[in-house]
Amino acid sequence: MKKIFALETSCDDTAAAIVDQSGRVLGEASFSKLEEYNIFGGVVPEIGSRAHIEHILPVTKEVFRMASLTPGDIDAIAATFAPGLVGPLLVGAQFAKGMAQALNIPLVAIHHIEGHILAGHQDENFPQAPFLALIVSGGHTALYGCDENYLITTMGETLDDAAGEAFDKIGRALSLGYPAGPIIDALAKTGNKEKYSLPIAMRKEEHFNFSFSGLKTKALEIIKKHAPFNEHDRADFCASTQEAIALALCEKSIKAAVEKKYQALVIGGGVAANSRLRELLTIACQNAGIHLYLPKKQYCTDNAVMIAKAAHLRFAEHPNSNHLFADVLATLPIEGIEEYRRSAGSLFIDLFGGDAERI
Ligand code: KG4
Ligand code: ZN
């Protein structure tokens, strides 16, 4: 596929991009509902769905304008079909289906996590598979193995809160606004990370799972006890919290890479933009002789470039893909994506007939 137009609408952002087969970004644009969410302190699915409907067309037009292309110049469409909030997902998937049908070009359904893992694919520094991937966001915190055929399996995941969720909930208790991760990151810069002691769960355990609820509960207790913080103490508290979360993520990733003999680590998801996590991983990977790929910060948080990049790779593997009959799913383990794509729309084909070859 020469040029892919992609949409990402699984959560906060209405994002669109056009990427060519060499990985060059020809156009990208996104609209974020974060200001609207700020009033409520978090994601509100109904507001999200309505805002996606309002913004999907302007964002699409902007991307074509930036790329100096028309829809007729596009060779395929891609969209996030799972996992995520069903309303927002539906807006992107239905828009993509309409475009694909109107233009008579194929559509590929992408899993949000494969997008995050492949956000840097074809960048100079992006490793050849196999590699280990740490994906950390507001909804996910997990380690994935990506094999030489780019098949992805979960190696460990959070048993309770995601790391981004912990940042956001702690930030909310400090009245920092949403999302709190980047604000805590900024405040931590002048703080003393040793001032408050926060627990890191399951440090010595064999498995590669994470847990952040104990850390979050302890942090909320400290806030209750000391509130209101003066500016100095707040910076120390942010630095201490960030240090504990970043250390938990870094230690498990290095342990998994060493034990499973991965020579490269890729990170992604909003929390991968965290400056202390990037610093700790850079040092630890250098010491362990592991190649580390740090995506640009703009491609850590949700974006459509990552969906286009994943789609290029999937089209290269299955050139006849077309998932026009796929349904969006709120949950879908990454291991299920190949089967999901294979069987997408079988009910529709049974009912109405169809060109099974193209599905
Ligand atoms: O990947 P993403 O944009 O959306 C999800 O799929 O969840 O990640 C958003 C999450 C939020 O929890 C936000 O607080 C966190 O990423 N985040 C950060 C930073 N930038 C975004 N957390 C810590 N430090 C940052 N610099
Ligand atoms: Zn995400």
Side-chain angles (χ1 to χ4, degrees):
M1 289 301 157
K2 291 191 191 93
K3 294 186 203 80
I4 294 184
F5 170 74
L7 290 164
E8 155 59 46
T9 63
S10 66
C11 187
D12 299 347
D13 303 288
T14 315
I18 300 172
V19 177
D20 75 9
Q21 64 189 6
S22 69
R24 203 156 56 99
V25 179
L26 304 180
E28 60 180 312
S30 77
F31 176 83
S32 169
K33 285 154 287 299
L34 295 178
E35 274 170 27
E36 288 154 60
Y37 290 154
N38 232 328
I39 310 165
F40 302 97
V43 175
V44 185
E46 183 56 27
I47 294 179
S49 306
R50 289 175 195 210
H52 282 302
I53 291 170
E54 270 173 47
H55 296 288
I56 198 157
L57 201 51
V59 160
T60 299
K61 281 186 176 164
E62 173 61 10
V63 163
F64 279 99
R65 192 197 60 74
M66 282 172 83
S68 303
L69 294 172
T70 65
D73 299 319
I74 293 300
D75 303 288
I77 311 270
T80 309
F81 273 61
L85 301 166
V86 166
L89 281 173
L90 264 176
V91 177
Q94 293 305 109
F95 190 90
K97 286 180 187 180
M99 252 182 108
Q101 250 182 326
L103 297 167
N104 197 23
I105 55 175
L107 167 75
V108 67
I110 296 295
H111 191 288
H112 187 72
I113 294 298
E114 70 183 327
H116 274 305
I117 293 175
L118 297 168
H121 187 242
Q122 293 181 312
D123 284 2
E124 214 181 302
N125 211 15
F126 195 82
Q128 281 277 67
F131 56 79
L132 177 71
L134 168 72
I135 302 301
V136 226
S137 70
H140 305 271
T141 296
L143 281 164
Y144 300 96
C146 179
D147 78 6
E148 53 282 9
N149 299 315
Y150 291 90
L151 283 179
I152 301 165
T153 45
T154 311
M155 292 174 57
E157 61 195 332
T158 180
L159 303 179
D160 38 59
D161 293 343
E165 192 183 348
F167 271 117
D168 292 337
K169 286 183 176 162
I170 294 165
R172 190 177 179 172
L174 291 169
S175 307
L176 292 182
Y178 176 85
I183 306 170
I184 293 179
D185 192 348
L187 292 173
K189 294 214 186 309
T190 56
N192 170 10
K193 59 185 181 338
E194 268 129 60
K195 171 87 172 274
Y196 298 93
S197 157
L198 289 143
I200 298 177
M202 301 189 299
R203 246 176 157 162
K204 302 263 175 282
E205 319 228 338
E206 290 284 297
H207 55 68
F208 305 122
N209 293 326
F210 304 90
S211 165
F212 292 99
S213 74
L215 189 156
K216 178 195 70 186
T217 306
K218 177 74 183 166
L220 297 180
E221 270 172 31
I222 297 173
I223 295 171
K224 220 170 170 183
K225 198 165 148 202
H226 295 274
F229 277 120
N230 64 35
E231 223 172 272
H232 196 79
D233 288 343
R234 189 176 70 171
D236 291 347
F237 178 75
C238 286
S240 305
T241 305
Q242 173 178 269
E243 186 69 10
I245 296 176
L247 263 178
L249 294 168
C250 178
E251 283 182 4
K252 270 281 150 78
S253 304
I254 301 298
K255 176 179 144 85
V258 170
E259 280 182 26
K260 298 293 173 188
K261 302 193 168 42
Y262 283 103
Q263 282 163 10
L265 170 66
V266 167
I267 67 169
V271 181
N274 183 265
S275 49
R276 183 60 181 152
L277 176 64
R278 293 167 83 97
E279 203 171 82
L280 281 176
L281 281 172
T282 302
I283 299 164
C285 283
Q286 249 163 25
N287 290 340
I290 297 164
H291 173 84
L292 173 65
Y293 176 78
L294 294 173
K296 283 189 191 145
K297 291 190 182 179
Q298 76 197 89
Y299 299 130
C300 290
T301 44
D302 291 347
N303 65 86
V305 168
M306 68 185 199
I307 303 304
K309 292 213 171 186
H312 270 294
L313 193 93
R314 298 314 177 197
F315 267 122
E317 286 166 351
H318 302 289
N320 295 324
S321 297
N322 191 2
H323 310 127
L324 202 55
F325 296 126
D327 277 329
V328 301
L329 290 177
T331 54
L332 175 66
I334 189 72
E335 288 77 5
I337 186 64
E338 293 297 329
E339 178 55 29
Y340 166 82
R341 280 197 274 255
R342 260 197 301 277
S343 64
S346 54
L347 180 66
F348 269 79
I349 297 163
D350 289 351
L351 275 176
F352 303 114
D355 182 357
E357 277 291 294
R358 293 198 67 209
I359 306 301

